[in-house]
Amino acid sequence: MTTVRLMTYNVHGLNDDVAALTAVVDDLRPDVLVVQESPKLLRWRSRCAGLARATGLLYVAGGRTAGGNLLLAHQRTVVHGHSEERIPQRLRDPIRGVVSATFAVGGTRFGVVGVHLSLSAAGRVRDLDRVLGTVRAFGDLPVLVAGDLNEPPGGPSWRALTGAGLHDVAGDGTPTFPAAEPRARIDAVFASGKGVRGRTVDLPTDDEGRARLARASDHLPVVVDVDLDAALDDRPGAASRGRTG
């Protein structure tokens, strides 16, 4: 079985306790870390690289060039290509974008798309148009879409993603914001393919672990173990083609 652990995390511009944030990532040991609100102003490149070094992961793509979306990955993953895109916004609105990459684990390829949707409903519609275009560019590869949707389940963005054939693989209902007293679930992981199953990885619930999460960022991370074999089995013609790698 080929399983990938994907973690999505809004890191609040690294403006909180970076040591606590690094410890959170280290404890959860993701294969791919999808970051929102990575540094995107002064010295953003070196700060993104510093986050990669501190977490023991490799920089893949993103940062200011993708509107603050960033991909980091464990050394066991292989990167076969990546893309960064800025999405035009209204004057004075925060920059937005999309980051994506094709990875392989154990010879099995899959796509990852990192997103951070607008605070406004109209902006989220505009952002999703680019996000779904990026998803379609992967063809029949299994794709994981992860990030901060800035709205709760059942909202228009969630419905648009499910309407495009993606489904929520971290649907345990756990709220993710604000980290200190989470009340709203606005961070998510979606996957293409009806057969894909994900298992949500529990976050620490002891006093020390919860305090560390609250210090690390204003969002809680979402961590999912995804069975990629199920994703490949669901592709058209998979039974006749078989799998390679």
Side-chain angles (χ1 to χ4, degrees), residues 25 29-33 49 51-59 72-75:
V25 175
R29 304 173 63 84
D31 295 308
V32 179
L33 174 59
L51 177 62
R53 287 193 301 271
T55 56
L57 301 173
L58 302 176
Y59 171 87
L72 306 179
H74 190 275
Q75 292 183 8

Side-chain angles (χ1 to χ4, degrees), residues 28-184:
L28 292 166
R29 304 173 63 84
D31 295 308
V32 179
L33 174 59
V34 185
V35 175
Q36 303 86 53
E37 292 194 25
S38 71
K40 53 188 178 183
L41 297 175
L42 185 65
R43 299 189 302 109
W44 69 268
R45 291 184 186 276
S46 62
R47 295 183 69 200
C48 288
L51 177 62
R53 287 193 301 271
T55 56
L57 301 173
L58 302 176
Y59 171 87
V60 176
R64 181 176 176 83
T65 48
N69 295 295
L70 174 68
L71 293 178
L72 306 179
H74 190 275
Q75 292 183 8
R76 87 179 185 103
T77 66
V78 178
V79 181
H80 289 280
H82 62 81
S83 176
E84 304 164 329
E85 182 181 6
R86 289 272 296 275
I87 301 174
Q89 302 290 314
R90 296 179 306 178
L91 186 65
R92 297 189 181 87
D93 280 356
I95 64 172
R96 302 286 179 189
V98 185
V99 66
S100 63
T102 301
F103 294 94
V105 171
T108 301
R109 294 196 185 200
F110 61 100
V112 174
V113 180
V115 305
H116 186 188
L117 301 185
S118 172
L119 289 169
S120 73
R124 289 193 289 273
V125 171
R126 179 178 58 243
D127 296 347
L128 272 174
D129 182 62
R130 299 295 184 90
V131 170
L132 293 177
T134 301
V135 172
R136 289 191 291 269
F138 283 99
D140 66 353
L141 276 185
V143 182
L144 305 176
V145 178
D148 178 355
L149 303 188
N150 267 321
E151 68 178 33
S157 299
W158 295 71
R159 296 198 302 271
L161 288 163
T162 55
L166 297 154
H167 65 282
D168 179 9
V169 290
D172 64 353
T174 302
T176 61
F177 181 83
E181 296 181 8
R183 297 182 295 275

Side-chain angles (χ1 to χ4, degrees), residues 6-22:
L6 184 137
M7 177 176 182
T8 181
Y9 206 174
N10 183 320
V11 301
H12 201 208
L14 300 183
N15 291 318
D16 299 302
D17 186 336
V18 177
L21 186 147
T22 300

